[in-house]
Amino acid sequence: MEYLHPELETMERAELEKYQLKRLKEVLEKVSKTPFYSKKFSEENIDIDSIKTLDDIRKLPFTTKNDLRENYPFGLSAIPMEQVVRLHSSSGTTGNPTVILHSQKDLDNWADAVARCLYMVGLRKSDVFQNSSGYGMFTGGLGFQYGAERLGALTVPAAAGNSKRQVKFIVDFGTTAIHAIPSYATRLAEVMQEEGYGVNAKPTKLKTLIIGAEPHSEEQRKRIEKLLGVKAYNSYGMSEMCGPGVAFECKEQNGMHIWEDYYIVEIIDPVTLEPVKEGEIGELVLTTLKRDAMPLIRYRTRDLTRILPGECLCGRTHKRIDRFKGRSDDMIILKGVNIFPIQIEKILMQFPELGNNYLITLETVGNNDEMTVEVELADLYSEDYNVLKGLSKEITRQLKDELLVTPLVKLANKGTLPQSEGKAVRVRDLRHIY
Ligand code: DLL
């Protein structure tokens, strides 16, 4: 078994926890001198000397995206601004965007984390790594760029879009690994087929795909793997933590190792804010242990997952988190029933007759809220009215079984639903707000 940082990746739990506690105390010392946390701690009567064990972290207040917004742009900085070398910003739908600051030390630690992830899925210096993410504020661009360079692979910073050019790069440069968000990976697979490459066509050297940055089901992953003839590894991260490199699947493809030398991991009930029982689904809360410019204490990610029980066969001791169920703020409440878009995707992807793109629309019709699921058909699927009617009936039945509400299913021709440049927009909520 090979590890990039064996002493850290396979650390015994007791040793890892000791390491975390030491770091936590250092982080608390540092943040308690910042205006934001010193105010927060004094308002809540927090004495950082009372944090003596890792469990004591529960005495500390949470940090939320709203805190970042309210202290826009530099209010959470923990170092003098002249030591800050990069800023990433993510725009929200309302209010101020969030700003994340990085020192050179942060960028180095981030590159190390991404390099560790890439090494874990088998990439080496001899690999050719192509990145199809935008190189700008989206951290999937620069994050993977520096990580792959740190590893020593040959990097191809193709950036987003222009699928024919992506295929040409894959072929001409002998790309062995590519990073793409899942909704783009399916598009790329289609263009590769059109250009005569991939499964059952001219072979390429592509064998590894890194997918993340947006929710996707296991069924979607399997589809992508089949379409591209690659192994696809799930990758999780968020701008507030740095970007990609927070958690990543190993070759076992059974949950993502979350790097506990970088983060203290908690899973809480988003309503009571108490820890959930071991192995139960809840909101992921992270405390940064290595961030220099902008450490965050108990940051509420809003992402819903659980810790997988047991040890991983790969020998890494860092906890594994399950595929994300969604975000607490993505949950649809329809007729009093809670629904996550990923539940819908999971059903749709089981139908070989269907393509990869779908759109969920919520509307008020009369006094009722209704859900419409539009989904594209697979290439060259039947145009026979009765066949299509039977198919949509079966999809409706399976969705009803899963969701407990009956959506209206509409089949669309391939390529007719909107395709976004960045992360896919799967839900349109047009309901009246009373
Ligand atoms: O998406 C960072 C990233 C880039 C991760 C490239 C992986 C690959 P943000 O734009 O800040 O950062 O969005 C973060 O995206 O809170 C999740 O809701 C969602 N997300 C990220 N990875 C996954 C994943 C980047 N593997 C938000 N599965 C997070 C499901 C994911 N959702």
Side-chain angles (χ1 to χ4, degrees):
M1 200 66 75
E2 286 180 89
Y3 311 99
L4 187 60
H5 308 133
E7 66 297 347
L8 292 165
E9 292 173 58
T10 61
M11 218 187 250
E12 291 296 332
R13 180 118 307 258
E15 203 190 332
L16 186 53
E17 290 181 357
K18 221 164 101 189
Y19 177 97
Q20 288 187 312
L21 185 60
K22 181 170 167 283
R23 290 249 172 193
L24 175 65
K25 286 184 176 162
E26 287 164 9
V27 173
L28 289 175
E29 198 62 51
K30 179 170 177 155
V31 298
S32 61
K33 296 192 185 79
T34 66
F36 171 75
Y37 279 109
S38 71
K39 183 163 168 260
K40 208 172 178 83
F41 289 176
S42 81
E43 275 168 6
E44 306 207 15
N45 288 324
I46 307 288
D47 170 13
I48 58 168
D49 291 331
S50 72
I51 308 297
K52 296 200 167 18
T53 68
L54 282 180
D55 282 345
D56 286 339
I57 200 170
R58 292 188 212 146
K59 296 180 186 166
L60 298 169
F62 292 102
T63 310
T64 63
K65 205 180 194 89
N66 215 27
D67 290 323
L68 268 58
R69 290 211 174 103
E70 282 174 1
N71 293 279
Y72 176 86
F74 305 140
L76 269 85
S77 173
I79 58 171
M81 282 306 284
E82 58 269 25
Q83 289 172 22
V84 176
V85 298
R86 172 117 55 91
L87 173 161
H88 278 275
S89 171
S90 73
S91 54
T93 37
T94 52
N96 280 331
T98 53
V99 162
I100 318 296
L101 306 171
H102 300 271
S103 68
Q104 188 55 50
K105 215 194 273 176
D106 288 322
L107 297 181
D108 282 337
N109 281 332
W110 181 11
D112 280 341
V114 174
R116 182 193 289 180
C117 297
L118 296 176
Y119 194 92
M120 178 162 73
V121 297
L123 266 65
R124 297 294 181 267
K125 285 180 194 300
S126 52
D127 276 285
V128 180
F129 177 83
Q130 185 167 324
N131 190 3
S132 70
S133 283
Y135 280 65
M137 288 300 179
F138 178 53
T139 53
L142 291 171
F144 273 106
Q145 182 62 32
Y146 284 101
E149 284 177 5
R150 177 66 45 99
L151 181 73
L154 168 58
T155 58
V156 182
N162 204 338
S163 304
K164 281 193 180 172
R165 196 179 64 150
Q166 301 275 0
V167 175
K168 185 166 170 52
F169 286 171
I170 292 172
V171 174
D172 293 356
F173 305 149
T175 298
T176 55
I178 189 162
H179 171 246
I181 57 173
S183 50
Y184 185 65
T186 53
R187 171 85 197 114
L188 190 62
E190 284 167 11
V191 177
M192 267 181 83
Q193 291 288 325
E194 284 161 23
E195 299 289 298
Y197 292 97
V199 182
N200 301 328
K202 277 182 277 178
T204 68
K205 292 195 174 151
L206 199 60
K207 58 178 195 299
T208 307
L209 170 72
I210 314 289
I211 40 172
E214 58 183 10
H216 55 288
S217 54
E218 182 61 35
E219 288 70 16
Q220 167 96 308
R221 183 238 292 267
K222 290 211 180 94
R223 264 186 180 221
I224 296 174
E225 286 191 326
K226 208 165 143 206
L227 280 168
L228 278 169
V230 296
K231 278 267 169 225
Y233 296 97
N234 195 357
S235 125
Y236 170 74
M238 64 190 327
S239 313
E240 295 91 316
M241 293 300 124
C242 58
V246 175
F248 220 81
E249 269 180 338
C250 65
K251 288 201 155 181
E252 299 298 323
Q253 289 187 304
N254 183 14
M256 293 181 277
H257 288 282
I258 184 154
W259 299 124
E260 292 182 83
D261 53 331
Y262 282 79
Y263 307 101
I264 294 179
V265 181
E266 296 173 82
I267 308 278
I268 62 159
D269 178 323
V271 179
T272 64
L273 306 183
E274 290 301 321
V276 297
K277 288 206 198 90
E278 227 179 289
E280 277 183 9
I281 293 182
E283 180 181 332
L284 179 69
V285 171
L286 297 173
T287 298
T288 65
L289 296 176
K290 291 193 186 174
R291 290 295 304 283
D292 180 37
M294 207 176 127
L296 294 172
I297 307 296
R298 303 193 83 197
Y299 187 72
R300 290 191 58 185
T301 66
R302 307 281 167 185
D303 292 320
L304 302 172
T305 185
R306 67 188 181 111
I307 304 281
L308 292 175
E311 284 166 19
C312 186
L313 292 174
C314 79
R316 289 176 184 83
T317 48
H318 299 233
K319 285 175 185 160
R320 283 168 305 148
I321 51 172
D322 203 356
R323 187 174 287 287
F324 285 91
K325 188 176 172 204
R327 290 176 58 81
S328 51
D329 38 16
D330 274 357
M331 192 176 76
I332 298 166
I333 305 180
L334 186 76
K335 302 179 198 288
V337 180
N338 298 347
I339 298 166
F340 286 98
I342 210 77
Q343 290 175 276
I344 296 172
E345 177 179 299
K346 204 176 87 183
I347 300 286
L348 299 179
M349 293 300 134
Q350 282 166 9
F351 285 87
E353 299 91 337
L354 299 179
N356 303 308
N357 204 2
Y358 63 94
L359 181 65
I360 302 161
T361 304
L362 306 164
E363 277 170 302
T364 309
V365 183
N367 289 325
N368 284 323
D369 286 345
E370 303 290 348
M371 177 193 281
T372 305
V373 177
E374 286 171 277
V375 54
E376 286 184 8
L377 288 162
D379 228 0
L380 304 177
Y381 187 66
S382 168
E383 284 180 4
D384 183 311
Y385 175 77
N386 285 326
V387 173
L388 293 176
K389 199 169 158 205
L391 175 64
S392 81
K393 212 167 143 193
E394 181 55 21
I395 300 168
T396 310
R397 192 187 66 76
Q398 290 203 22
L399 285 173
K400 186 182 170 207
D401 278 357
E402 168 76 25
L403 310 175
L404 309 175
V405 292
T406 311
L408 175 67
V409 172
K410 284 189 184 166
L411 301 175
N413 282 331
K414 196 179 159 195
T416 55
L417 291 180
Q419 193 120 34
S420 50
E421 256 285 301
K423 300 190 189 199
V425 179
R426 301 294 193 194
V427 182
R428 273 193 313 166
D429 194 344
L430 310 175
R431 286 177 291 185
H432 300 165
I433 299 163
Y434 297 102

